[in-house]
Amino acid sequence: MSQRKFFVGGNWKMNGSKAGIEEIVSFMSKGPLDPNTEVVLGCPSIYLDFARSKMPANIGLAAQNCYKVEKGAFTGEISPCMIKDVGVNWVILGHSERRNIFGENDDLIAEKVAHALSSGLKVIACIGELLEERESGKTTEVVNRQTKAIANKISDWSNVVLAYEPVWAIGTGKTATPEQAQEVHAQLRGWLKSNISEDVANKTRIIYGGSVTASNCKELAKNPDVDGFLVGGASLKPEFVQIVNARQ
């Protein structure tokens, strides 16, 4: 069994209310949650302070985005220091929706990752290919390019979790098969070994995102290079507890 601690992130996206968060707090508090799994919930920025005040201390909170500088005339953005100021230690960066809906490119995402890490945040860095890229055999090319852009800005990988999210499997009900997920994760780990170091490759957690549910999580979790999940819609529901416990 891998020495990498299993990691399950929940990405609430643009969903939630105070009442809804109270419900999530209730089922997360009841659990029971596998103590060998690290759990981090990605919350809309407007609710980060509220969620942190309600959620059990053993559950981490993440912002869903942040900008690449500490402060300034950037209307609507939030900075890593603001995230830390409300007691939150994680941020999700490079999510496919930020890339493909909001037009964030590899370079901007890499700059955001670098600034977040230098500010003391831990980062869930997302990569993944579009359906047409997979169908044209470009999966490896795309995920390597996205990973390289991020890697060029990272000197210390200890606070980075890499999330592979095939865009064609996000919110579509389609899931990469366990074999497909393992193939890409193993290739990514090989890239880290060849281009960064064997130590980074062995220690960096690579998690899978893309229509993960209670019914498919256990099969996915059996793969040696799948170190956890980044879960969308299912993280808003009680079944998320089963996903956290996928390795039990």
Side-chain angles (χ1 to χ4, degrees):
M1 183 63 71
S2 167
Q3 296 303 302
R4 298 180 295 272
K5 187 170 185 177
F6 202 66
F7 183 102
V8 175
N11 181 12
W12 298 347
K13 306 190 180 184
M14 197 177 72
N15 294 293
S17 61
K18 286 188 174 180
I21 291 169
E22 294 273 20
E23 292 177 7
I24 295 170
V25 168
S26 177
F27 68 68
M28 292 301 288
S29 298
K30 289 176 184 174
L33 305 178
D34 184 347
N36 296 313
T37 297
E38 183 171 6
V39 182
V40 176
L41 300 175
C43 175
S45 60
I46 197 168
Y47 293 125
L48 280 170
D49 200 6
F50 178 78
R52 182 65 284 166
S53 71
K54 298 288 185 177
M55 202 65 68
N58 64 322
I59 296 172
L61 267 289
Q64 296 177 11
N65 187 34
C66 68
Y67 199 49
K68 63 180 182 178
V69 295
E70 182 179 357
K71 58 184 178 181
F74 304 103
T75 301
E77 292 288 342
I78 62 172
S79 69
C81 63
M82 293 173 178
I83 295 167
K84 290 180 66 181
D85 196 38
V86 295
V88 172
N89 298 317
W90 285 88
V91 63
I92 301 169
L93 292 171
H95 191 278
S96 65
E97 289 157 8
R98 299 303 312 176
R99 293 177 185 268
N100 299 305
I101 297 174
F102 299 102
E104 296 186 4
N105 62 30
D106 291 349
D107 291 340
L108 175 59
I109 291 161
E111 290 174 343
K112 287 183 172 189
V113 169
H115 180 61
L117 290 170
S118 69
S119 300
L121 286 182
K122 301 174 184 179
V123 174
I124 301 169
C126 302
I127 57 172
E129 82 281 17
L130 299 166
L131 179 60
E132 54 264 35
E133 292 169 335
R134 171 166 279 271
E135 290 180 339
S136 59
K138 293 183 177 178
T139 294
T140 298
E141 175 188 333
V142 171
V143 297
N144 283 1
R145 186 198 76 227
Q146 293 171 342
T147 304
K148 183 178 186 297
I150 295 167
N152 286 343
K153 298 285 187 179
I154 298 175
S155 57
D156 180 1
W157 282 80
S158 60
N159 289 324
V160 178
V161 171
L162 202 57
Y164 168 60
E165 295 196 306
V167 181
W168 49 271
I170 298 174
T172 62
K174 296 180 181 179
T175 310
T177 64
E179 293 77 18
Q180 287 174 320
Q182 169 60 21
E183 180 182 14
V184 177
H185 283 228
Q187 183 274 318
L188 280 167
R189 203 172 303 285
W191 188 94
L192 292 174
K193 182 178 179 179
S194 298
N195 293 275
I196 312 297
S197 73
E198 185 170 2
D199 187 58
V200 166
N202 289 337
K203 291 180 178 177
T204 299
R205 291 174 289 185
I206 304 175
I207 63 176
Y208 170 77
S211 300
V212 177
T213 65
S215 62
N216 63 27
C217 64
K218 284 189 177 294
E219 283 302 310
L220 286 162
K222 288 178 182 177
N223 287 296
D225 289 298
V226 175
D227 302 314
F229 307 114
L230 185 56
V231 182
S235 67
L236 299 163
K237 305 169 185 175
E239 72 170 291
F240 185 63
V241 171
Q242 297 176 58
I243 300 173
V244 170
N245 297 335
R247 278 271 176 92
Q248 284 188 327

